[in-house]
Amino acid sequence: MTQTLKTSAVAAIPFDRAAAAPESNCLRDGDLLLDNAAFADEVRRIAQRLAATGVAAGDAVGVMLPNRAEIITTMFAAWHLGASMTPVNPALTDEEAGYQITDSSSVVLVGDERGRRLAEHLGIACIDITDEVSRAAVAEEVTDAPLARGHDIALIIYTSGTTARPKGVLLDHDNLDAMSASLVEHFALSEADTSLLVLPLFHANGLIAGTLSPLRAGGEVVVAPRFSTDTFWDLVETHRPTYFSAVPTIYALLDAAPTREVDTSSLRFMVCGAAPMPAELIVRIEERFGVPVVEGYGLSETSVACTINPIEGPRKPGTVGVALPGLEVAVVDPDGHPVPVGERGEVVIHGATVMRGYLGKPEETAQVLMDGWLHSGDVGILDEDGYLSIVDRLKDLIIRGGENIFPKEIEDCLYGHPAVLEAAVVGQADPVLGEVPVAFVATKPGRTVTSETLLDRCAQGLAGYKVPARVHVRDELPKNSVGKLVKGQLRDELLAGGR
């Protein structure tokens, strides 16, 4: 008997919403407000435009735009045709963006004037959303029902590429179906929820946790402008979101900003991800704004999230919470055997959200996908209640005179100083000890601190072998496009002779 493949549940979201509640709000971006019916119509219109350029099932569609509604409608339009989408960070150089577009075999680039020039250079089609003439509806008809099926590739998300060329993470519709369903269950999302989209839409977090999950639950998405401490709380008070997701740097900036009365009554919770957030900062944010902060952990390779602290029930600041519904998380030794509770090991993940693999890279895929488990490369500890703490990256381990040092221990000590906004610790080669830790610190706006003060703090709070050889105080530290500190640049600086 031939099995009939079902239409992707996530690809059908615009049309399911339009049928159930056509006049309910769906997507807001500045002055643009789309209800469910208008959202479905916009998806159909963009699908027509994509089809007119030759996009068909199995193709890839590149999108290079700053955060705006068209990224979301294009994603669903691509899925409507059975195609995938690869979101391109507009901050990339033409060479970097061209690599992603070429590597993903994108047949069309949706963008602005710059995108049109790049597409012409690459010899592919382009849809310029800023060209009002081309915005007119085209004659080609598209199928009424989305063509995408569960095993079809939905997103090609590129890793940050801090140590090598970025890799394309292949997420299929079944991955996104499982991830969005898990987040809806964990956060108890419903039609009453509104997501304030703070994080970039060229990253899986913004697309899946910030967009796909609330839309699946019947809620609304508000695309926020570029983050600023001067305007952020005004957006919260105006749009009344029930949650948003941000990175530790954003929370640190909110914590350092001048105090004013803020109406946070609409917020049910705030999410932190992308990098570990100091427990002290979580406590300060919760006490100051009266909203739970739920820190989570995940990777693009697991369709964004693996563990998150619960909203209701015990939240443990300093941990990244418990495994999400439908996922298994374990901590293993180098041979792949689970370690005892409370001991360090590599974090591994199993479940329907784990990627199909890296695009065109079978060897790299085989290195991280073993026996159905994704090996994260992160060092973690599981406690007796199943809460995960991320200790560090395996590759970031510093061995000083035979003693193992996890940089996060030093970073946590530095974060405890009230002037410290960001801290990063990397290893530097040493002719005697093999390697020594060197710290880089950025201060909060208007605050100052000396290297000597921070070294004294480390000497008081850490074992002697963990105290950094040096601490460099700077105005800012290098970060990638999603706000995660890029230690590779700091290592390169030290390697080049910096001290």
Side-chain angles (χ1 to χ4, degrees):
M1 180 181 295
T2 302
Q3 182 179 7
T4 302
L5 297 177
K6 293 182 179 179
T7 298
S8 159
V10 293
I13 285 174
F15 315 103
D16 291 343
R17 289 176 61 108
E23 296 180 356
S24 294
N25 289 348
C26 180
L27 179 62
R28 188 186 299 269
D29 181 3
D31 295 331
L32 173 69
L33 174 61
L34 299 177
D35 62 20
N36 287 330
F39 180 62
D41 286 343
E42 185 69 1
V43 169
R44 291 189 186 94
R45 186 186 68 79
I46 295 178
Q48 288 178 327
R49 296 183 69 189
L50 291 173
T53 68
V55 173
D59 286 336
V61 174
V63 180
M64 187 171 69
L65 290 166
N67 271 23
R68 55 188 298 166
E70 285 86 353
I71 300 176
I72 298 169
T73 49
T74 299
M75 176 176 71
F76 283 102
W79 296 348
H80 197 72
L81 299 174
S84 62
M85 184 183 83
T86 185
V88 183
N89 178 1
L92 296 179
T93 65
D94 283 356
E95 180 181 355
E96 292 167 328
Y99 168 79
Q100 178 176 337
I101 294 164
T102 302
D103 187 66
S104 62
S105 301
S106 294
V107 298
V108 61
L109 179 62
V110 178
D112 51 20
E113 184 178 352
R114 179 199 171 202
R116 185 172 67 241
R117 294 195 302 269
L118 182 58
E120 290 173 355
H121 174 73
L122 296 173
I124 63 173
C126 177
I127 295 177
D128 182 352
I129 65 166
T130 66
D131 183 355
E132 291 299 324
V133 175
S134 71
R135 284 183 59 85
V138 293
E140 285 81 356
E141 293 295 332
V142 297
T143 178
D144 290 337
L147 293 177
R149 301 295 186 261
H151 290 296
D152 292 337
I153 300 301
L155 292 173
I156 308 174
I157 302 290
Y158 277 74
T159 61
S160 56
T162 57
T163 58
R165 279 285 201 180
K167 298 187 288 289
V169 175
L170 297 173
L171 301 178
D172 64 22
H173 284 264
D174 284 342
N175 290 147
L176 303 191
D177 183 21
M179 185 77 267
S180 57
S182 183
L183 290 171
V184 168
E185 179 180 346
H186 183 81
F187 290 133
L189 297 178
S190 73
E191 65 277 0
D193 281 294
T194 296
S195 164
L196 181 64
L197 197 57
V198 179
L199 297 179
L201 282 168
F202 54 78
H203 188 265
N205 195 329
L207 286 172
I208 302 172
T211 300
L212 195 59
S213 298
L215 290 182
R216 177 179 187 145
E220 181 180 358
V221 173
V222 176
V223 180
R226 186 178 180 85
F227 173 80
S228 167
T229 55
D230 295 332
T231 60
F232 179 75
W233 292 116
D234 294 331
L235 290 170
V236 170
E237 291 170 338
T238 297
H239 296 296
R240 310 291 296 163
T242 57
Y243 80 99
F244 64 86
S245 183
V247 296
T249 300
I250 287 179
Y251 287 105
L253 290 170
L254 291 174
D255 179 53
T259 303
R260 77 166 178 88
E261 289 296 323
V262 177
D263 180 4
T264 61
S265 60
S266 69
L267 290 168
R268 291 204 293 124
F269 59 93
M270 303 182 287
V271 184
C272 182
M277 183 167 169
E280 297 84 358
L281 178 57
I282 292 176
V283 172
R284 288 201 304 272
I285 291 289
E286 289 189 336
E287 290 178 348
R288 180 173 176 182
F289 299 110
V291 182
V293 176
V294 290
E295 187 176 12
Y297 162 76
L299 310 90
S300 297
E301 289 88 339
T302 60
S303 307
V304 175
C306 308
T307 65
I308 303 179
N309 269 277
I311 302 172
E312 304 294 338
R315 293 193 308 280
K316 296 187 180 183
T319 78
V320 291
V322 296
L324 286 169
L327 291 177
E328 295 179 75
V329 175
V331 174
V332 300
D333 63 21
D335 294 323
H337 302 128
V339 301
V341 168
E343 292 192 11
R344 290 172 170 152
E346 183 182 12
V347 178
V348 295
I349 305 101
H350 180 271
T353 66
V354 172
M355 68 171 181
R356 289 266 296 273
Y358 294 120
L359 176 63
K361 299 185 182 298
E363 293 182 1
E364 287 89 337
T365 299
Q367 289 173 1
V368 299
L369 291 180
M370 304 179 206
D371 298 323
W373 289 82
L374 178 84
H375 287 247
S376 69
D378 290 316
V379 181
I381 298 171
L382 279 172
D383 70 12
E384 63 279 2
D385 299 317
Y387 284 72
L388 177 68
S389 297
I390 299 298
V391 178
D392 232 310
R393 291 286 293 171
L394 282 175
K395 67 180 180 61
D396 288 343
L397 178 70
I398 298 168
I399 303 177
R400 183 183 199 173
E403 296 282 359
N404 289 350
I405 302 171
F406 289 95
K408 188 173 182 295
E409 293 182 90
I410 305 173
E411 291 161 1
D412 285 346
C413 181
L414 293 167
Y415 272 119
H417 192 282
V420 172
L421 175 67
E422 296 170 330
V425 174
V426 298
Q428 183 178 31
D430 183 88
V432 176
L433 298 172
E435 204 172 18
V436 294
V438 176
F440 294 81
V441 165
T443 55
K444 295 177 181 177
R447 303 295 294 270
T448 60
V449 66
T450 66
S451 299
E452 292 73 21
T453 297
L454 293 175
L455 282 170
D456 287 344
R457 178 180 181 82
C458 291
Q460 294 172 18
L462 298 169
Y465 71 90
K466 297 179 184 177
V467 176
R470 288 171 299 282
V471 176
H472 299 282
V473 179
R474 297 184 171 177
D475 292 334
E476 60 181 2
L477 300 183
K479 290 182 284 294
N480 66 13
S481 55
V482 295
K484 186 183 296 186
L485 293 173
V486 180
K487 293 186 176 182
Q489 292 186 27
L490 300 175
R491 291 191 190 93
D492 291 345
E493 180 181 324
L494 294 176
L495 188 63
R499 293 187 59 80

